[in-house]
Amino acid sequence: MTTATDQDRAQRVRSALDKVRPGASSPNLEQMTAAERARWWAGLTTGERTAVVQELPEIIGAGQGLPASVRDRANRIALDRDLDQMRAVVDLGDRSDDTQKTLRNAQSVRTGLAKAQQTAPGAVIQLYAYDPHAFGGDGKVVVAVGDLDTARNVAWLVPGVGADISRTAGDVQNAADLYKQAGGDRGDVATAIWIGYDAPSGADLGALTGSGAARDGGRMLADDIAGFVTARDQLGVGQGSGVDDRLNLGLIGHSYGSTTVGWAGDNERMSDDLDTVTLLGSPGAGGIATADEFGIGATNVYVGAASDDAVAHLGGATANTGISGLGIDPATTAFGAERFRAEGGDVAPILGNHSSYFQIGSESLENLGRIVAGRGGDITHENRRSTADVIAGQLSGGRRDPAVDSRKAG
């Protein structure tokens, strides 16, 4: 039965779509550029905004150029709808793989949101992107700890191998811990975990030996960052200079995610949007051969590479060498970034310190907090690896690194 409220909402949606162009339909809204969508949203009435969020949550939730608070409301509607519908379908006897996967993905996101709120009580938690069907069911999700619409200091975290929507809670934990380390409970900080590309995982793990997934992911990452920056600009709190600069934006890539960040920044593609780039436990910097190639100044590019991290020793002495085939080791003098101390933390078999960069109390997390808070000049510096260190380490199968001496010296 159609009620007066339903009719009123439908009329407001129709009015909103007509502001795209007369007679427009929802696909036309999806085809807009981020800038066009931002201007369209700014021209809607409060009633029209409410109606399109309620009736078109998947489109609004994925809408590049729209405020994070708006996308969060839409994505939570879509999430609740998925949970309710999938549970109902399962109760009716549907045990198909697609149904089960969608339900598991939605539950994983719900758990991640709860984990973020538990770890950072009082913080704004935003579901910036949510698509449980993306990448063949691996899913896409972006969860922010802190307000992406208003925070001055914003960092997007890009995870590596195995990153998919099922890992939401663990990756959100890293974002929440970094938020607290950067002073989020006292200041103007937001950290977002970006699971937005088809990272090598499961049956696709063989893709780790090539750069294809990182290249594709880099393009997707650059597009998402551009959409975010467009929304901030529309809100009047975007990039600028002097007192007009309201956004200190950084990317932090871990493991294969660092390679993805490298490809995102290839040919200075993100130089107008980013203030800092940080590469952690990197098997190679992708399409970037030197820190300068990000176009933001080499002193604004940071590297954390624990001496015991096996993955961080896979990069080459140059962009065209190395075990991984994924680019140059960014911890080298030749790359030219600011290397910070990242020793300590839990050591795992084979991979060593590779998963300890966000560990509470670690040198790495302390330095990451300084970078995110806009105090990159306060990092504790580590000596960079020489070409000889890289080659000798790879020829011997060892991990030759000046950080070993730093660790012994305390």
Side-chain angles (χ1 to χ4, degrees), residues 277-281 291 298-309 312-313 329-333 335-343 357 367 371 376 378-386 389-390 399-407:
V277 169
T278 304
L279 309 177
L280 301 173
T299 57
N300 295 312
V301 180
Y302 302 90
V303 173
S307 60
D308 285 338
D309 180 353
H313 286 272
D329 178 352
T332 58
T333 300
F335 189 75
E338 300 292 316
R339 186 183 182 189
F340 57 82
R341 294 194 67 172
E343 298 301 290
Y357 292 99
N367 281 315
I371 294 167
D378 294 337
I379 61 169
T380 54
H381 282 84
E382 180 59 87
N383 293 322
R384 293 177 289 198
R385 297 169 185 157
S386 68
D389 289 330
V390 176
R399 302 174 187 176
R400 176 167 160 176
D401 195 323
V404 173
D405 296 330
S406 297
R407 185 172 56 188

Side-chain angles (χ1 to χ4, degrees), residues 41 52-63 66-81 127-128 130:
W41 182 261
V52 293
V53 168
Q54 292 174 337
E55 293 300 308
L56 305 172
E58 289 84 3
I59 294 174
I60 300 300
L66 298 182
S69 57
V70 173
R71 295 181 61 166
D72 174 61
R73 289 198 299 274
N75 284 319
R76 286 177 187 266
I77 290 172
L79 175 63
D80 290 343
R81 189 176 295 173
L127 183 54
Y128 185 76
Y130 166 70

Side-chain angles (χ1 to χ4, degrees), residues 20 30 39 47 174 180 218 231 279 293 303 330 356 360 379 390:
V20 175
E30 294 179 281
R39 291 192 294 270
N174 290 339
K180 293 170 66 176
L279 309 177
E293 291 182 18
V303 173
S356 300
I360 294 174
I379 61 169
V390 176

Side-chain angles (χ1 to χ4, degrees), residues 6-375:
D6 292 334
Q7 291 176 342
D8 179 64
R9 184 181 301 144
Q11 290 173 353
R12 290 181 177 180
V13 171
R14 178 68 267 156
S15 175
L17 289 174
D18 283 340
K19 290 182 177 180
V20 175
R21 65 171 176 77
S25 60
S26 54
N28 297 120
L29 183 56
E30 294 179 281
Q31 294 162 4
M32 300 172 80
T33 66
E36 290 170 343
R37 196 175 294 109
R39 291 192 294 270
W40 167 78
W41 182 261
L44 299 184
T45 67
T46 300
E48 289 168 342
R49 290 178 176 180
T50 300
V52 293
V53 168
Q54 292 174 337
E55 293 300 308
L56 305 172
E58 289 84 3
I59 294 174
I60 300 300
Q64 301 282 34
L66 298 182
S69 57
V70 173
R71 295 181 61 166
D72 174 61
R73 289 198 299 274
N75 284 319
R76 286 177 187 266
I77 290 172
L79 175 63
D80 290 343
R81 189 176 295 173
D82 281 345
L83 287 168
D84 291 342
Q85 290 179 349
M86 291 304 104
R87 286 168 179 157
V89 169
V90 169
D91 288 344
L92 290 173
D94 185 344
R95 298 291 193 274
S96 67
D97 289 344
D98 287 346
T99 297
Q100 295 284 0
K101 177 167 275 191
T102 299
L103 179 57
R104 286 196 302 269
N105 285 350
Q107 290 171 331
S108 178
V109 172
R110 174 59 57 80
T111 301
L113 293 172
K115 172 66 73 173
Q117 202 70 77
Q118 177 186 8
T119 305
V124 172
I125 307 299
Q126 293 172 327
L127 183 54
Y128 185 76
Y130 166 70
D131 182 354
H133 309 292
F135 310 122
D138 284 347
K140 173 177 180 174
V141 65
V142 181
V143 176
V145 183
D147 193 338
L148 288 175
D149 287 334
T150 62
R152 170 172 173 75
N153 299 310
V154 176
W156 287 48
L157 282 59
V158 182
V161 172
D164 61 32
I165 205 169
S166 69
R167 276 183 30 174
T168 301
D171 287 323
V172 164
Q173 180 74 60
N174 290 339
D177 289 339
L178 179 55
Y179 169 86
K180 293 170 66 176
Q181 184 68 48
D185 54 349
R186 305 186 304 275
D188 211 6
V189 174
T191 55
I193 183 69
W194 183 80
I195 303 176
Y197 73 119
D198 196 7
S201 63
D204 299 327
L205 198 57
L208 174 62
T209 59
S211 62
R215 285 175 183 260
D216 293 343
R219 175 182 51 77
M220 297 172 193
L221 176 59
D223 287 346
D224 279 1
I225 289 293
F228 166 69
V229 170
T230 296
R232 288 288 300 248
D233 288 342
Q234 181 67 46
L235 292 170
V237 285
Q239 301 279 14
S241 59
V243 296
D244 293 324
D245 187 0
R246 309 287 183 85
L247 177 60
N248 172 41
L249 179 58
L251 278 183
I252 301 174
H254 174 246
S255 191
Y256 195 82
S258 71
T259 310
T260 302
V261 168
W263 283 111
D266 191 28
N267 294 319
E268 301 186 5
R269 174 163 45 184
M270 306 180 71
S271 60
D272 290 337
D273 297 335
L274 295 179
D275 294 283
T276 64
V277 169
T278 304
L279 309 177
L280 301 173
S282 180
I288 297 292
T290 68
D292 276 326
E293 291 182 18
F294 279 108
I296 61 174
T299 57
N300 295 312
V301 180
Y302 302 90
V303 173
S307 60
D308 285 338
D309 180 353
V311 176
H313 286 272
L314 296 178
T318 68
N320 299 315
T321 62
I323 298 172
S324 68
L326 298 177
I328 190 172
D329 178 352
T332 58
T333 300
F335 189 75
E338 300 292 316
R339 186 183 182 189
F340 57 82
R341 294 194 67 172
E343 298 301 290
D346 294 337
V347 178
I350 301 176
L351 297 183
N353 289 95
H354 188 61
S355 298
S356 300
Y357 292 99
F358 295 96
Q359 187 170 322
I360 294 174
S362 67
E363 290 179 310
S364 174
L365 186 62
E366 291 176 358
N367 281 315
L368 289 172
R370 295 175 181 124
I371 294 167
V372 172
R375 299 187 291 107

